[in-house]
Amino acid sequence: MNRSKRNTYLIILLFMTLGLILSWLFPTLFIMKNLRTNDLIDITEQQVFHSIQGTNGNYLHPNSIMVLYVFAVIFALFFIFFKDKPGFIVRLKSRDDYVNKHLWDIVLIAFSFSLLIEVINITFSFALFDAEIVLESNLIFYSVLDFFTEFLFYMRTGLILFITGIIFNKKIAPFIAFALYFSEYFSTDIFPFLYSAWLPYKDAVAITNLIAGDLSPWGVIPMVLRGITMNLALIWLARRLFMKKDMIQNEKR
């Protein structure tokens, strides 16, 4: 990895880290303040912790995962993809090299972002709550499981961005990819029967249900298997579509 690309990654990860820290602190401190200062509510430290780690806490709320964080991943990858120039592309040995290059970018961003989500959640949980409460909740173990579902989800986000860039072009691909996720997430508001149906985004986060006791660790396995299957299918589709594209014209559009 050359210095320019390494600096690009460092800048992206820096902004991601700062954004996630703010996403954890502001809603969490607000919730903690309201719960602890409300004399009408008799609540324990453990209950406060579970409220923060559940869907009441905005950091791991589906709105954050499916809207704010998807937006961040899509535009981080767009920033990396858009730097490719036709001259660089023609110097590659094959079309597979080009696809593999972007697959590596997708994996690296998805891995780093998912890891940051879990590390920040664990770090600030230990900083603001008693260690015994955090350990008793199995937060560390559940975070490891959640990392796999998050990683597969955001890798899928990158693959969809890559595919839309192949089918259309890179300039509008982020907006199309985000619109697809936005439509999927809010489809339950338009079609209420989908609340009880499985949708891909429902496999994105496991930790809130794990801590609440609504999901067992074994229940994460089907989520991971579905994620792997979908990602492999998207990788196959991306390769197949790109093999048929005019590489230079596709980049110039």
Side-chain angles (χ1 to χ4, degrees), residues 7 10 16 25 29 44 77 83 88 119 121 123 127-128 150 163 173 185-186 200 203 208 214 217 231 241:
N7 290 341
L10 290 175
M16 284 182 164
L25 283 176
L29 294 177
T44 66
L77 285 169
K83 292 172 72 69
F88 164 76
V119 169
N121 190 36
T123 301
L128 295 182
E150 293 272 6
I163 289 171
Y185 180 51
F186 289 102
D203 284 346
T208 53
D214 298 328
N231 285 354
L241 289 172

Side-chain angles (χ1 to χ4, degrees), residues 30-211:
F30 177 79
I31 293 171
M32 290 175 68
K33 180 181 178 181
N34 283 348
L35 289 175
R36 287 170 172 170
T37 58
N38 193 333
D39 295 333
L40 299 177
I41 301 176
D42 184 16
I43 192 167
T44 66
E45 189 80 2
Q46 187 175 43
Q47 288 172 321
V48 174
F49 174 79
H50 279 269
S51 179
I52 297 300
Q53 294 299 327
T55 54
N56 292 328
N58 289 352
Y59 182 72
L60 295 171
H61 192 279
N63 285 347
S64 298
I65 299 297
M66 281 298 299
V67 181
L68 182 62
Y69 300 165
V70 163
F71 181 89
V73 170
I74 285 176
F75 279 92
L77 285 169
F78 168 73
F79 185 68
I80 294 172
F81 292 174
F82 196 71
K83 292 172 72 69
D84 289 345
K85 303 299 180 184
F88 164 76
I89 296 170
V90 297
R91 289 196 298 271
L92 295 173
K93 294 180 181 179
S94 67
R95 290 172 180 261
D96 269 339
D97 283 347
Y98 183 80
V99 175
N100 290 338
K101 170 188 175 297
H102 282 313
L103 288 179
W104 170 247
D105 290 332
I106 290 168
V107 168
L108 187 57
I109 290 297
F111 180 92
S112 301
F113 190 66
S114 302
L115 185 63
L116 282 172
I117 288 175
E118 308 302 342
V119 169
I120 288 171
N121 190 36
I122 292 172
T123 301
F124 283 97
S125 293
F126 274 106
L128 295 182
F129 293 95
D130 188 272
E132 185 177 353
I133 293 175
V134 179
L135 293 173
E136 285 180 353
S137 72
N138 290 321
L139 180 66
I140 297 176
F141 174 58
Y142 290 160
S143 295
V144 172
L145 298 179
D146 192 60
F147 166 78
F148 289 105
T149 61
E150 293 272 6
F151 168 67
L152 291 169
F153 173 74
Y154 289 117
M155 182 177 174
R156 185 160 69 252
T157 302
L159 289 168
I160 289 175
L161 173 66
F162 185 41
I163 289 171
T164 54
I166 295 171
I167 297 175
F168 302 99
N169 65 61
K170 287 182 178 180
K171 293 180 181 179
I172 65 171
F175 304 100
I176 296 174
F178 184 74
L180 290 173
Y181 274 95
F182 189 87
S183 300
E184 179 194 357
Y185 180 51
F186 289 102
S187 62
T188 52
D189 293 335
I190 302 172
F191 306 106
F193 67 89
L194 291 177
Y195 274 110
S196 58
W198 175 81
L199 292 172
Y201 83 85
K202 294 181 179 180
D203 284 346
V205 181
I207 192 167
T208 53
N209 289 325
L210 286 166
I211 289 179

